[in-house]
Amino acid sequence: MIMIMKEVNNKLFQDRRRLRKNNNENATGGYNKEWMDIERKNIQAYEYLCHVEEARDWIERCIGEEIDSKSFEEQLRRGVILAKLAKIIKPEVVKKIFDAEKLQYRHSDNINYLFEAMKKINFPENFIFELTDLYDKKNIPKVIYCLHALSHYLEVTGFLHPAVKNFVGKLEFSEEELNNLQEDFKASGIILPQFRNVEAAVQKEISNSMANLTSDSEKKPLTEEEKRDLYYRENVDKIIKVQSAARGYIARKEYDKEYGNILKNKDKIIKIQATMRCYLQMKKYNERKKYFKEHEASIVKLQSMVRGKKARQKYLDRKSYYERNIDKIIKVQSYVRRFLAMKCLKELKSGKTTSHTVHRYLKLMGDNSLDFDYESEMEFLRELAIRKIRENIELEKEVNALDIKIELLVKNKISIQEVFHASKKKKKNAPENETVESIFTSKTPDKESRRKFKLYQNLFYLVQTNQKYLAKLMIKLNSIGSSQIKTIENTVMSLYGYAQNNREEYLLLNLIKKTIEYEVEDIHDINDFWRVNPIFIKLVLHYCRGAKEQQYLRDLLQPLIKSVITCDGLELESNPVAIYKNIIREAEFNSGQKPDKKYDVDAKEALSDEETKKAYINHLQKLREITNKFLDAIIASLPNMPYSIRCIAMELSTHFMEKWPNNQADVTKILGNLIYYRYINPVICAPEGFDIIESNINQIQRKNLAEIAKLLHNISVNKPFADDNQWLQPLNEYIAIAAKKFAIFFNKVACVESAEVHYQIDEFDDLAKTSNPVIYISPKEIIEVHQCIIEHIEDVETNEKDPLRIILKDLGDPVTTETSEKEIQLTLVNIFADVNDDGNSEMNRLYKKTKNMVLDIILIQNGKSILDALNRPTTEDLEYSFKCLIKQKIIYEKLLKEKIEQERKELENPNIKLSTNTNPDHDSNDNNDKPNTNEANENTNPQDQDESENKKNLTKIRSESITQLKNITFAEYKKMTKENLEKLEGFRDIKKENEYQALLTIITKEIINKNIHRKQRIAEIQKLKQTIGNLKQKEDYLLSQKTQYHQYIDGCMAKLSDNKKPKPTIFSRQYYYLKKLEKEGKVPKFGSYQYTAEQLHKRQILESINGVNQKLYGAIKFTISSDEVGIFNIVAKAKLFDPTEITITLDELLDARYNEIQTLTICDGLAKVNVNLLLHLINKKFYS
């Protein structure tokens, strides 16, 4: 009996986890009395997970496949692995395994296969789970228990070997897994089966089965020991529970007793512990103190040795660190020296500048002659670019006129003779010389004319730099719909020099910004923006069509547009009716026969045609695909987008968001309207007008581009297609998706630095320039602007003391006789900065020369001030330094002259006659470039003569100064400088009484901003060169187009004038008809053909004859003849009515076909003809 109990206990408790007490006390200092129950539940959960892994491992070994432990339960529910297991046990029961990924009810068939297999092998039914236990997850532990029992049963009966392995104590699971499992059991109320006695239970069932098979006579009575053993085996679970409860009770009782004693004597125990710890610490302290007292001298010596060693080691480490980082130390020292130098630089910026500080930092500025030559070169290139722009505009107008006339010729909109005479008209009408005296020419050099000329210089400087005047004027003209707005728009681009340098581009952007500011103020509702026609949009369009700004659009859109127009057979028409009719028209024109299809249909009938429906779907698919390519390319081009359009977008967004901060979506739509619809869309719709492509495009190609542009526009404003474009409504879903991408792009476009930061320009920029700004404008434009400002002065400026009103009052009424359209060079002058303009030119030159001399002196000799440096005596060392400086200047001057001369040869076009040579080193002595000196003088104005004279004087001064400097001493150079300063007394606040501190302040500002201005000028020169290169390419293209157009016109004349026609067949009706005409002397120049109405009706050319029966058509004759190019006479003769004649042109027929007119009434309403078939007949007879 005892041995059996021990055997049962050993088997039951092998590999079990021991109960562990939780030592963590709760917040009150107590303990958890239920720790044994908690730990027992953890053990049950742990053992269950081990049994699950045992079942999975057994199935893997049986079917020979790996099973993921994480998805083991779901795989059991799908029954696939159970069906495979059943196939191993009883192959004949498994027919087809349903192996779908998603759990379906058909998976229950797989589970049923296992039920059937277990039934076949007589597996005890009390171990078998229900289908819902597994499929509905009602009792998964019972399923695992069944698998364990099945493994033991198969092992005992010999079906499969071996049974499940024992993993208890060999696996580890997280506390989270155990807790989650316990919560699941608690929620479902499932009682775990006893896996430990599963083998015994199986043995018992097998024994019972065997016992049931034997007869009652064969049964043997059991002994007491066997009965006891059988009782233990049958009640093993109850025995385990009793033992666990007994052990738990005993353990809790002992623990409560021991813990109760501790709590009862808690204070005494703490006091005893504290006393013992204090005693031990005091004992240890006294022993150490005694030891230190006995060895005090040794300890002091040891401490000093340790401190010495540490100090020496620290010194050696620092020395080694310096040696390893010698380069870095040198760099730090340079930073320190730079810091000391920056102190002096701060003094320069503070405004309290001394000559000593300038002496130290003068090398930051270098030779200022370099910047003067940069400005000279830049002015030369700018004038060249503006001249080329104007000439290209005129040339482009001429080419466009010829292009239009040739296009009309192709469609027979005008006659060849008219085209020919129009093309020669420009050559015959040479421009005549001006005969009316003007204040802008040299024919009226009186004092009053000069005064008015200089007032106009002041007026246009004021209008150019104070953008509020033009902004208010243009907004007023635009609001009242005045015709003067067009004149002002065209003049603006001349006033700002087509934005060819940073200053003019900056000012033009400021004008656009100012108009945006005023117009946004006038808008009361953000939705009103779509109902007004703001003037700043027109300015943006003018600005963005310049040669410099189009490079971005060319790089972006040229490959995309070329891919569209070069795609053979591409058609994006979205209207089903138009697609249907186009198919019919093409069939008629190509075959010469009328199709059986009905022509006038509605959209529903058109889509019922399979060919039309297929074409419609294909068109929409292609449209979306191509539009998406355009969209992606536009978004990817953001880094290359010009700053100007991004700056305008930023200003537009800023002003709208300031006024309507909660309308971000509406502001984004407005940005889309500006960036796409106003800036990019016109280029897509008319690429040939922006030099994107070099050839003309036909009607279908233009229609394709228009469809793409329309879809992009709706995307840009996030507007789905409505009923007016119902055939594009299938693309509305695509519009909603693409609009989000476009909106992000538009907001990124508007994120850019300010114009002041980008161009490095401030309000003092003009004062630092070495020359006044110049514009190129015609006298007629000047007078028109003057007249327009006077008419609307109350809307532009109401203050009587405003500079604009003062200048207009001095000017008086505009001169109406100024009608010349030839541009002049107008130098802009700020009258309020320099009133005495007559002497300023000379004074400016003297000022620049003197400033350079002062720079040279301060560079060589130091002093407290400019006057102190001039008064100090010179030495031999200073004289030597001066000679070296002069040698460097001579070499540098020579190199600069060679560089500018080389660039002049590369960039100057001999076909362009420059009014003035802006580069002082450009000496145009070639008289071949000037055909008539007298004529040139007549076409120049006083200002041109002054500028030309100034340039000559300036070149002379520079060359003389360099020559003189070779022979003078430093003392003489200082004396010359003092004399020049005395002449400049009072100019720009230069005064001797403050030791010329004003001049020193100006020099300081130039030192601070030297590099910024130099980089800016270099960048402007590079942009001007690029612009001139683009303009040259455009000019070459336009000239070649002009030549080709003339050749085409001449070819058309030669081809259409050829009246040699093939002779008709002998003895034919046409043969006798022509013979009759020859006898009468009435043979038309380009031929004549006669048909009966019956013949024309059979060919379906003739639709009907009013009031005539078809049986009589054979008696009616129609004659078609041509005696002039493109003009046809149609005569109808019959006995039924008087001869009727009509003259019809090829233009009218083609125009009718273009306007989709199917039938045309001729001969005063007598007959109706099919337009397409009549054209086919005319082309065949007269042009084949």
Side-chain angles (χ1 to χ4, degrees), residues 71 254 604 675 683 735 810 953 963 1028 1061:
S71 62
E254 292 179 355
K604 185 176 181 181
I675 298 166
V683 184
I735 290 176
D810 292 341
N953 294 337
T963 305
I1028 292 172
K1061 303 294 180 183

Side-chain angles (χ1 to χ4, degrees), residues 595-639:
D596 297 335
K597 297 180 180 180
K598 181 181 176 182
Y599 185 78
D600 293 321
V601 296
D602 56 17
K604 185 176 181 181
E605 292 174 328
L607 284 176
S608 64
D609 181 67
E610 287 298 326
E611 185 178 1
T612 304
K613 183 177 181 181
K614 183 178 180 181
Y616 169 70
I617 296 174
N618 182 55
H619 291 182
L620 289 186
Q621 292 174 345
K622 282 290 184 182
L623 177 60
R624 173 171 177 168
E625 178 184 347
I626 296 173
T627 303
N628 204 50
K629 291 181 180 179
F630 273 75
L631 179 63
D632 292 341
I634 292 172
I635 293 175
S637 68
L638 177 61

Side-chain angles (χ1 to χ4, degrees), residues 439-440 446-462 772 782 807 810-811 824 826-832 834-841 941-947 950:
I439 63 173
F440 303 105
D446 57 279
K447 184 176 181 181
E448 180 63 18
S449 297
R450 284 182 174 271
R451 186 186 72 84
K452 284 197 172 185
F453 182 78
K454 294 188 179 298
L455 285 173
Y456 276 119
Q457 291 177 310
N458 302 329
L459 173 64
F460 276 84
Y461 178 85
L462 191 64
N772 291 329
I782 295 175
I807 294 176
D810 292 341
L811 270 174
I824 64 169
L826 185 67
T827 300
L828 304 184
V829 178
N830 187 358
I831 187 175
F832 300 99
D834 272 332
V835 179
N836 185 14
D837 187 61
D838 293 335
N840 278 351
S841 298
N941 52 47
Q943 193 265 349
D944 291 334
Q945 292 181 342
D946 293 342
E947 284 295 320
N950 291 344

Side-chain angles (χ1 to χ4, degrees), residues 12 114 228 402 492 533 583 635 650 797 832 937 999 1089:
L12 289 175
L114 181 62
R228 206 177 293 116
L402 288 174
V492 162
N533 185 22
I583 293 174
I635 293 175
M650 178 187 68
E797 183 56 59
F832 300 99
N937 290 335
L999 180 58
Y1089 299 89

Side-chain angles (χ1 to χ4, degrees), residues 38 63 136 206 213 260 349 409 463 519 591 683 982 1033:
I38 296 173
I63 65 175
D136 296 332
I206 294 175
L213 293 177
K349 294 182 178 180
L409 171 64
V463 171
E519 290 187 307
S591 64
V683 184
E982 291 175 357
Q1033 293 177 2

Side-chain angles (χ1 to χ4, degrees), residues 1145-1162:
T1145 64
L1146 192 59
D1147 308 341
E1148 295 171 349
L1149 293 174
L1150 290 174
D1151 188 62
R1153 181 173 182 264
Y1154 178 79
N1155 293 319
E1156 302 181 3
I1157 297 175
Q1158 189 71 9
T1159 59
L1160 192 66
T1161 303
I1162 61 173

Side-chain angles (χ1 to χ4, degrees), residues 42 141 152 205 274 278 398 490 627 631 742 794 814 1120:
N42 285 337
H152 290 296
E205 289 296 330
C278 178
E398 183 179 355
N490 295 331
T627 303
L631 179 63
F742 231 173
E794 293 299 329
I1120 305 175

